[in-house]
Amino acid sequence: MKILLVSPAYPPTFWSMQYAGRFFHAPSNVPPLGLLTVAAMLPKDWPQRLVDMSVEPLLEEHLAWADAVFVSAMDIQMQSAATVVRRANAAGVPVVAGGPHYTLYYETVQGVDHILVGEAEAVMPQLVADLQNGCAKPVYKADGFPRLTETPPPRLDLLDIKAYLAMPIQSTRGCPFQCEFCDVLFLNGLKPRHKSLEQILVELDNILSLGWGGMIFFVDDNFIGNKKLAKTFLHGIIAWQQGHGQPFTFITQASINLADDAELLGLMATAQFKSVFIGIETPAAASLAECSKKQNLGRDLLRSVETIHSFGINVMGGFIIGFDADPPEIFSIQRQFIENSGIAVAMIGLLSAPPHTPLWKRLEKEGRILGFPSGNNTMDENALNFIPKMDKDFLVNGYKDLLREIYTPTASFGRIKKCLKHYKTPDFVTKRPVKLYDVKAMFHLFWTLGFFTKGRLAFWRLFFYILFKSPTELTEMLHLAAMVHHCQIVTTDFLRNKETCSR
């Protein structure tokens, strides 16, 4: 049975990073790990092809080749996913769909022949058997959350690895915190489940065998959801890195309590974790209490960010506007915090209420739900799928002004400078041989940011400051500048499109 694996396209958002990827000739941020893991669960004698629509278009010849199309999507991909389903229907090819989007909305999805609800490990054996016997059911529901110790390594051999900024690994699923707006509790559970260290090291071996020597993204919901386990993993990763010549750097997602554990931070720095995404959400205590973001309450958030930066790990921050408890001056409060924190990549979004979350349930009881969210809370004012307490026009206009102020060249590059004041690159990284690949990307970045953008003066001021004050941080400065450049473009495009539509 010939299987066409299709990952729908991601629209431009803060997370997509395609404009940063252009410096490395990489059109996409990270491959579709869920789909590649499903591919590894299929019979070995079933021919497989992957089409990642963030890298290449889906062609009619792809559909003509396939006996079935497997689609996996997150909410942000829902529009592209719907197009894939319609095209497969028109070509007469059965569709099997799964992933977060289809798990959340399986009762309303149209055009899909077989839907996997929940995690694939729990249902793939039955689905495969039924497909082989010609009796596949419309819906397959996972019973609970499966163990990950039997999850196979993803089929990375299906990829063109040069098309990506980072390769993916997942060591755990689930998060111990219960933020009101987050659907991870429903999708992956409260108690983090994990792979074995041996599984992780095998996946590192596999990635290295492909010739990869760049960044790896641990896509865990919360890498430090179990701190003791994370330390065990990190000791193993450090030993692996040292035994293989330190080939990789890492990025992941974690909670702010990372700042409380110097041992954990030290291990991450030694392992070469260079970036971490943290959901800060807001410096307003009342809004944090409202959304049950308990791990962020009762702490100096600025000090926590500074502590993480001091270990050579830059913080990418998630921020939210639209809580009931947000005061009218929330926009200036958020702007001041972001500027003072030195968080260069600040992903600011409007609050959304996904189905099955505590927030959805609360707002539904209050009669405030307007419909399903758009799936994009950072570049879509329709992300507000509920009636906010604050006047909506005031809220949306304040959000746009905040984005406009945060991503001016002076503000953006100023935050990089502030971040790197607390930064320290490990000695073995500064001694690592420079690759031709990185040199080409550096000159492309210099050419673009130094000569062809409105922010070129701010860029050169930052460059010469780092060159003379802290030259060992120059590589990290350029890495952050590339990501900031992406954020500036998507912000400018969003604001321009909205201003055009309002005329």
Side-chain angles (χ1 to χ4, degrees), residues 162-481:
K162 294 180 181 179
Y164 300 94
L165 282 173
M167 287 293 108
I169 282 183
Q170 185 178 57
S171 62
T172 66
R173 291 181 200 156
C175 179
F177 300 110
Q178 301 182 59
C179 305
E180 187 187 37
F181 54 81
C182 185
D183 55 16
V184 167
L185 177 63
F186 174 77
L187 291 171
N188 291 337
L190 183 63
K191 183 178 180 180
R193 294 158 291 126
H194 61 89
K195 294 178 181 177
S196 67
L197 175 59
E198 290 72 20
Q199 285 174 284
I200 295 169
L201 299 184
V202 165
E203 293 190 36
L204 291 177
D205 286 336
N206 291 346
I207 294 172
L208 187 63
S209 70
L210 294 173
W212 185 259
M215 185 178 294
I216 291 180
F217 186 2
F218 273 86
V219 299
D220 300 33
D221 302 306
N222 186 346
F223 183 75
I224 65 164
N226 181 329
K227 286 188 175 182
K228 182 178 179 180
L229 179 68
K231 291 176 183 178
T232 298
F233 286 167
L234 287 166
H235 280 294
I237 293 168
I238 289 168
W240 187 94
Q241 285 268 78
Q242 292 172 346
H244 293 80
Q246 308 283 356
F248 300 141
T249 58
F250 300 98
I251 181 174
T252 193
Q253 304 176 126
S255 42
I256 193 68
N257 59 320
L258 170 63
D260 304 336
D261 195 323
E263 179 190 6
L264 182 55
L265 280 166
L267 290 170
M268 290 180 69
T270 303
Q272 268 301 281
F273 279 75
K274 301 299 294 180
S275 299
V276 59
F277 175 84
I278 294 178
I280 292 173
E281 320 314 354
T282 177
S287 299
L288 289 173
E290 171 195 321
C291 69
S292 299
K293 195 85 178 182
K294 297 178 181 178
Q295 65 271 31
N296 289 31
L297 279 167
R299 68 166 59 243
D300 185 337
L301 290 170
L302 285 174
R303 178 68 176 173
S304 295
V305 172
E306 181 181 314
T307 297
I308 297 170
H309 283 167
S310 71
F311 280 82
I313 303 171
N314 79 70
V315 174
M316 298 182 292
F319 298 89
I320 294 177
I321 297 288
F323 295 112
D324 287 352
D326 279 353
E329 61 274 14
I330 188 60
F331 312 103
S332 61
I333 292 172
Q334 289 273 31
R335 180 186 58 77
Q336 184 176 7
F337 177 89
I338 293 169
E339 295 293 348
N340 291 341
S341 69
I343 295 176
V345 181
M347 301 182 181
I348 313 165
L350 293 168
L351 182 64
S352 285
H356 307 289
T357 60
L359 177 61
W360 172 282
K361 294 173 183 177
R362 174 171 67 84
L363 295 176
E364 190 175 40
K365 287 181 180 179
E366 296 172 4
R368 296 168 59 190
I369 290 291
L370 298 174
F372 292 129
S374 66
N376 181 4
N377 75 319
T378 59
M379 292 296 148
D380 187 355
E381 62 188 55
N382 295 319
L384 283 166
N385 63 318
F386 63 95
I387 301 170
K389 287 289 182 71
M390 192 181 293
D391 177 77
K392 183 178 179 180
D393 288 339
F394 179 79
L395 177 59
V396 171
N397 289 331
Y399 170 65
K400 293 177 184 176
D401 290 340
L402 176 60
L403 285 176
R404 187 177 291 109
E405 294 166 359
I406 287 297
Y407 280 109
T408 65
T410 299
S412 298
F413 294 126
R415 292 197 304 279
I416 295 177
K417 178 180 177 181
K418 193 172 189 68
C419 168
L420 295 180
K421 282 184 177 180
H422 305 290
Y423 205 84
K424 179 172 173 53
T425 298
D427 290 339
F428 65 80
V429 175
T430 62
K431 297 175 183 177
R432 180 182 293 160
V434 178
K435 300 177 182 178
L436 180 61
Y437 172 79
D438 294 317
V439 172
K440 289 181 178 179
M442 181 181 68
F443 278 106
H444 189 186
L445 188 145
F446 276 134
W447 187 252
T448 301
L449 299 189
F451 297 99
F452 288 100
T453 65
K454 293 181 180 179
R456 55 188 175 272
L457 293 180
F459 170 78
W460 286 121
R461 283 195 295 268
L462 172 64
F463 170 75
F464 284 113
Y465 174 85
I466 298 299
L467 181 64
F468 291 111
K469 290 286 187 179
S470 187
T472 57
E473 320 307 341
L474 190 59
T475 299
E476 188 60 24
M477 174 240 141
L478 295 173
H479 172 72
L480 289 172

